[in-house]
Amino acid sequence: MIEDLLLTDLTVELPKAVRLQRLVSALQAEFHCGAVVLLQLEEDALRPVAACGLVREALGRRFIVAQHPRLAAILARRDLTSFSHDSTLPDPYDGLLENHAGAPMPVHDCMGISLYVESRLWGVLTLDALQVNTFDQPARDAVRRCTAVVEAAIRVTRIEQQIHALRLNRQADPVPGKAADSGADAEIIGQSGALTALLQELDVVADSSLPVLLLGETGVGKELFARRLHRLSPRRNHPLIHVNCAALPESLAESELFGHAKGAFSGATTERPGRFEAADGGTLFLDEVGELPLSVQAKLLRALQNGEIQRLGADHPRQVDVRIIAATNRQLQAEVSAGHFRADLYHRLSVYPVPIPPLRERDHDVLLLAGHFLELNRTRLGLRSLRLSPEAEQALLAYRWPGNIRELEHVVSRAAIKIISKGAQRSDIVTLGAELLDLDLNGLATEPAAQHAAASSEHPTAPMALPVLPGLTSAVRPLRDVMDDCQRRCIEHALQAAQGNWTQAARQLDVDASNLHKLARRLGLKA
């Protein structure tokens, strides 16, 4: 019997993903289903944690309960909920069925049941059969009997996670139905080996107070990993303060970080604490730390060494207890060699360096992330269903993603808007073909917006993806010199097009005007 098979798995130590996947696979075979999905409730949305019969990118989607009446109906009852083949309620899996991708769900039987762990609502189990009358009364009774075993499997995985957390001297999320990664923190989506290994490493280092240096290309989501480190640390109940060092005007950087006394400079009419004091007892996340001016780097080093800061214009230092997490997409060792970054500060920040893998090294995570962005755009645009064609999936897997996750988000969003502007009906199942993604599989997107996606937010002064510029020699040169030449020529071209107007030039280059002035001074274009 199916219950015996499911119970056997409970006696074996298995990874969570494997245990739950074996569970839905067994249910699919037993009940002759086209799709079986196990979804966990996370605040107002259901997240698939295991599925059989759906396209791969469906695991990256989040189904907002209020937008899916079938899922809402299942959650509202403790007993099994069935939907007849002629039900008018929209099916959440329309267009996502593995063997009918891009088409409406065929006339079928559908049922689901809410799941409870420790008497609290955990999520739902849904079953869809493509043949009408598959789910007769004996089948429904069998699903009811299986529910206790399914809930037991979920409970076992929770206990195993709690044991793992205790080994790390950390409390696991104790509340069923509430995700550990929910709330203000965006979710880290993926199942690749590279991501799994990284998260395991972060779980260990989070419990210490060591400074962590997050290294990675622009667009890989360094802020999400910083938030995870803080959330899993003993400082979780204290503030996490985010500072974008690239956006700090050089003249105000010291005041922003360390605060200032009344009268320290023109306009300082009151005392003001800085970000270090705001983060006291918690974590300070220094994003794009390589952009800090050398003058501020010296004071940052003092804070790291002694836990001591001094407000600008103040006479006495102050003690703070702050853990530093820094992030950069620059090669700081090269910056040290070039004299742009202090060697002693670099060694203090990089006590524990953590390289974040680029999207191209994360196997099929690109499809799960695409599914996440597809669902966001489906909701935003009011579509019945939004999915990828098989050709589009292959294009996403083949592309190199120089702008990483941020570029993927822009590509999916732009394609969704394009297909609607071309006349797609919101009541249809809308399929994005490979041609709508505008990807050049040699590695660069064909549209300027995708070329610049990586530089638009996380590191405004980073060099854009550009073709080889005339005048550059083919001889081997230091990488920084080549990058500086590219940036210098881009700024000169933008200034020429803007007739010398720096604000217009900054807008054309999609960078902050103050950062453009700072970069121009470094490149010798401005006094």
Side-chain angles (χ1 to χ4, degrees), residues 135-159:
F135 298 145
D136 53 15
Q137 192 58 47
R140 296 176 187 178
D141 293 339
V143 170
R144 289 187 177 95
R145 290 195 302 271
C146 288
T147 300
V149 184
V150 173
E151 292 173 338
I154 295 167
R155 191 175 296 111
V156 167
T157 62
R158 286 180 56 79
I159 292 171

Side-chain angles (χ1 to χ4, degrees), residues 461-473:
T461 57
M464 296 175 291
L466 294 169
V468 176
L469 296 171
L472 295 183
T473 67

Side-chain angles (χ1 to χ4, degrees), residues 164-244:
H164 175 67
L166 288 172
R167 288 172 180 166
L168 296 175
N169 298 318
R170 183 179 301 120
Q171 182 181 5
D173 173 29
V175 182
K178 180 175 176 61
D181 288 339
S182 64
D185 299 339
E187 184 183 1
I188 298 174
I189 295 173
Q191 298 177 343
S192 64
L195 180 64
T196 301
L198 172 61
L199 295 181
Q200 290 173 347
E201 183 179 5
L202 293 180
D203 285 352
V204 176
V205 73
D207 204 42
S208 73
S209 289
L210 295 175
V212 175
L213 180 61
L214 301 175
L215 304 168
E217 299 174 5
T218 187
V220 294
K222 292 186 281 292
E223 181 181 353
L224 298 185
F225 294 96
R227 290 184 178 278
R228 181 184 176 90
L229 277 168
H230 174 74
R231 187 172 62 253
L232 296 178
S233 78
R235 299 170 179 264
R236 68 177 72 87
N237 294 323
H238 295 277
L240 168 65
I241 303 298
H242 180 184
V243 180
N244 183 356

